[in-house]
Amino acid sequence: MKSTGEPTVITQLKSMNEYGADDLFICCAGFEARCSSAASRLSPSYRTRYSIILQIEDSFFTKEVEANRARLQAALSQHTVEGVYVINCNRDNPNDAIAQIKAIWPRVKPKDVEEPYITLDISGITKIYLLQLLYFIVAEQSLGLPRLVHTTQSYAATRLTRGVEQITTIPNFFGSMTIDKPNLLILLLGFEPERSLSVWKQFNSEHTIALISNPPRDGNMYYLEYAKKNNAALLSQANVELRDVPPDSPYGVRNTLEEIYHEYKDTHNIIVGPFGTKPQTVGVFLFCLEHPKVQVIYSFPSSYTHSYLQREPGDTLLLPLNPPLGRDASASSSDADDSGVNDLA
């Protein structure tokens, strides 16, 4: 399986279907300003049959969530032919959101499962929601990877969350653990040190590989310096090894995880914690789709800081992907056939 290049900055998002409306546009109304950026960049000629807005409720940011939902509805109503669905859901319960999507799926699903036209804007969605949604589309519906867009945001040297509410294994990513092997923990790090450190403490792994974005987005070395400083407590531990990973290349992340997997697959249980960027989380999904024995864990924060509200939307990126991955979710990388691949991006 090969990477298909670097993310592309887009100013207009065009339809994929040359002969009519696309099938589905999915996005999320959270409290970040970047939630509505991709929808505002839809080409005047862009059309989709249906749109789905996941409205993730947050009691501390109700005003911001409602405002972003309204912006998204207004933007998408100009481009949606048959209907815009708003799904209200709890931040800590992605299963409920997936259940609601399944309820309307007979109506909104692609007309041609062999050639679906789905765009997923991951900008405002949480990482656990992202993994669950991709699993539903790719593994359960066998539709291949949707076109993925992601809007970045301005950098600020502040923590994004406070505290840890609970630690859980992500549904559909339980993996297959054996008691006769020690654990290898792989943590993708960002600006949420308490969440990653709590996972490290709970799993008591024999060895931990911490992955940090380097080179950082836009070559911002202050980002890298702060990310290391922010995670100093974890990185200072004797059994923690630091490695680099790209910030916005899902296949770059997938390839890094693949290298680690081949180093440790015979000797360790492998556990992954995605606390980095959202494109990196897509890379975790790509990797786990090929290696279902790997476990993915997640820690819910107690609260989000108001740092998010001070960050301005950045570029909207089209993420490079190979859509046919997932036609057979059980296929391993050794079985994958890259011939005849059509790049939806």
Side-chain angles (χ1 to χ4, degrees):
M1 190 178 303
K2 300 176 182 178
S3 172
T4 56
E6 295 301 315
T8 303
V9 176
I10 58 172
T11 55
Q12 277 197 345
L13 189 64
K14 299 180 180 180
S15 298
M16 295 180 286
N17 186 358
E18 297 179 4
Y19 305 105
D22 286 356
D23 292 303
L24 187 59
F25 184 95
I26 307 173
C27 59
C28 178
F31 51 76
E32 299 174 90
R34 61 176 170 171
C35 289
S36 58
S37 293
S40 69
R41 292 183 171 127
L42 294 175
S43 167
S45 62
Y46 177 86
R47 293 293 181 270
T48 182
R49 292 173 53 232
Y50 292 99
S51 293
I52 296 176
I53 302 171
L54 298 175
Q55 181 171 325
I56 299 183
E57 304 295 345
D58 191 302
S59 58
F60 294 102
F61 300 99
T62 301
K63 178 181 177 182
E64 288 79 12
V65 171
E66 288 286 348
N68 283 326
R69 188 264 307 154
R71 291 188 188 98
L72 283 166
Q73 275 188 289
L76 291 173
S77 64
Q78 301 177 40
H79 300 275
T80 306
V81 178
E82 298 186 43
V84 178
Y85 287 88
V86 178
I87 293 179
N88 291 290
C89 41
N90 184 280
R91 181 171 294 280
D92 298 339
N93 189 12
N95 287 338
D96 176 58
I98 298 300
Q100 292 185 63
I101 292 175
K102 288 181 178 180
I104 63 173
W105 194 251
R107 176 173 295 181
V108 304
K109 66 181 180 181
K111 290 182 177 180
D112 183 356
V113 296
E114 295 300 322
E115 195 171 7
Y117 298 105
I118 301 175
T119 297
L120 172 59
D121 176 11
I122 69 173
S123 309
I125 197 167
T126 67
K127 298 178 183 73
I128 190 170
Y129 265 82
L130 176 57
L131 288 169
Q132 290 290 82
L133 187 54
L134 285 173
Y135 188 87
F136 170 73
I137 294 171
V138 177
E140 293 187 9
Q141 300 302 314
S142 299
L143 293 175
L145 287 162
R147 177 171 66 174
L148 298 181
V149 293
H150 174 60
T151 301
T152 63
Q153 59 185 357
S154 61
Y155 161 78
T158 56
R159 293 190 178 189
L160 302 180
T161 58
R162 296 189 184 94
V164 175
E165 191 169 284
Q166 64 170 311
I167 298 173
T168 185
T169 303
I170 298 180
N172 300 312
F173 297 88
F174 291 108
S176 179
M177 316 296 285
T178 60
I179 59 174
D180 58 336
K181 289 182 180 181
N183 293 336
L184 171 72
L185 183 60
I186 306 172
L187 294 173
L188 290 96
L189 303 183
F191 291 171
E192 301 173 275
E194 293 167 304
R195 296 175 69 185
S196 51
L197 188 61
S198 66
V199 167
W200 177 81
K201 289 179 178 179
Q202 175 161 313
F203 279 86
N204 191 29
S205 59
E206 180 185 74
H207 188 63
T208 298
I209 297 178
L211 300 178
I212 201 163
S213 297
N214 189 29
R217 185 180 290 152
D218 300 325
N220 189 338
M221 299 311 293
Y222 291 106
Y223 174 100
L224 179 60
E225 179 183 342
Y226 181 70
K228 289 181 177 179
K229 180 180 179 181
N230 205 33
N231 292 282
L234 174 65
L235 297 177
S236 65
Q237 303 301 318
N239 67 338
V240 176
E241 173 189 353
L242 180 63
R243 298 191 188 184
D244 298 335
V245 71
D248 297 314
S249 173
Y251 268 87
V253 174
R254 176 263 174 202
N255 292 340
T256 297
L257 292 172
E258 188 74 24
E259 292 172 2
I260 297 171
Y261 176 80
H262 285 290
E263 288 181 49
Y264 290 93
K265 66 177 181 177
D266 296 327
T267 56
H268 290 72
N269 297 311
I270 298 177
I271 305 168
V272 180
F275 302 107
T277 68
K278 289 167 187 175
Q280 288 172 349
T281 303
V282 177
V284 171
F285 173 78
L286 296 175
F287 170 71
C288 291
L289 194 62
E290 299 175 90
H291 303 293
K293 291 185 177 181
V294 173
Q295 184 177 93
V296 183
I297 45 83
Y298 189 79
S299 58
F300 290 94
S302 299
S303 63
Y304 289 79
T305 71
H306 281 76
S307 166
Y308 278 106
L309 305 184
Q310 301 166 5
R311 299 184 176 204
E312 297 295 327
D315 293 329
T316 296
L317 306 177
L318 184 63
L319 302 183
L321 297 168
N322 274 341
L325 177 65
R327 294 290 185 189
D328 180 0
S330 63
S332 67
S333 58
S334 60
D335 297 328
D337 179 9
D338 288 334
S339 63
V341 168
N342 295 315
D343 189 353
L344 285 182

